[in-house]
Structures are given as structure tokens and as C-alpha cells.
Amino acid sequence: QVQLVESGGGLVQAGGSLRLSCVASGRTSSTYVIGWFRQAPGKEREFVARIRWNFGSTSYADSVKGRFTISKDNAKNTMYVQMNNLKPEDTAVYYCAASQRPFSSTNYATTGEYDSWGQGTQVTVSS
């Protein structure tokens, strides 16, 4: 499997920015998609964004469109999410996940489409 480590979380005021990183190791050659999910206390884990590892196509949840941007550096086995104009409702633990499946009928928007998960990084946005 692929091992994933997230970093870059922290405390930021509303309107501020953070950049999260996800570094992959292990069987990275079998990875088709890297996704970002988030989970607030007592809430479900929800899809945030994803990127296809080899083709670079991206998809975003409606709640973050226009504010979050995902990118990747294949040589460094790293995926980034730049989060701008953060809102208090963005407060959550953010997880990256790797899918080793070449196709997804849900556009990789559900947790069941992923095979490996990181430990998460806390993002807290104050008002």
C-alpha cells in the first residue's frame, strides 16, 4: 500500500490562507488519484478535492470551489492544497487519501474509492 503523511495545518483567522502537503511513499506507482477529505468533530468525513496523479485533472467540492487549489509534484511524490479565504466552517481535520483504482463512477468523491489514508492534520479557522 501507499503511505501518506499530511502537514501544514494550523490556526488561521477567517480570510487567511494555509497550504497543506501530502507526501506519499511506498507503492506510489500504483496510485491513480490523490484526494483530500475533511472531518469536523461529530460530522461525517466529506470530500474536498482530488487530483489524478498522472493526468492532473482536478475536481472540487462546491463548498471550496474558487478558494482551494490542488496541485502535485510527481518527482517529489507530493500533493498540495492551497487554501485561501478560509472560513470558520472549514475547521476540520484534513486527510489525504490515495486511490489505486483507475476508474470511479463517483468521480472519487466517496471514501470507499480510496485505499490508503494519512493520519490527518488539524485546520482551525477563527472568526
Side-chain angles (χ1 to χ4, degrees):
Q1 293 287 340
V2 175
Q3 291 78 51
L4 303 170
V5 179
E6 306 97 332
S7 62
L11 175 65
V12 65
Q13 288 186 309
S17 299
L18 285 172
R19 187 194 193 199
L20 305 183
S21 299
C22 176
V23 180
S25 61
R27 294 186 176 183
T28 57
S29 62
S30 65
T31 298
Y32 288 89
V33 165
I34 297 291
W36 283 97
F37 290 76
R38 66 187 182 186
Q39 187 168 21
K43 303 294 181 64
E44 66 181 5
R45 189 169 297 188
E46 66 174 353
F47 170 76
V48 175
R50 62 86 175 153
I51 187 167
R52 293 201 75 100
W53 195 242
N54 291 322
F55 295 96
S57 59
T58 59
S59 183
Y60 299 88
D62 288 342
S63 59
V64 305
K65 285 181 180 177
R67 300 188 298 119
F68 290 13
T69 303
I70 52 176
S71 60
K72 61 184 178 69
D73 186 335
N74 294 66
K76 297 180 179 179
N77 289 326
T78 301
M79 192 270 280
Y80 308 93
V81 56
Q82 178 68 44
M83 307 188 297
N84 297 327
N85 191 24
L86 283 162
K87 304 175 181 179
E89 51 263 45
D90 295 319
T91 296
V93 176
Y94 283 71
Y95 301 87
C96 66
S99 178
Q100 290 145 24
R101 311 163 197 229
F103 308 105
S104 172
S105 61
T106 66
N107 201 23
Y108 300 93
T110 56
T111 58
E113 298 290 275
Y114 295 83
D115 305 286
S116 301
W117 293 83
Q119 296 300 307
T121 185
Q122 176 71 48
V123 171
T124 302
V125 184
S126 62
S127 59

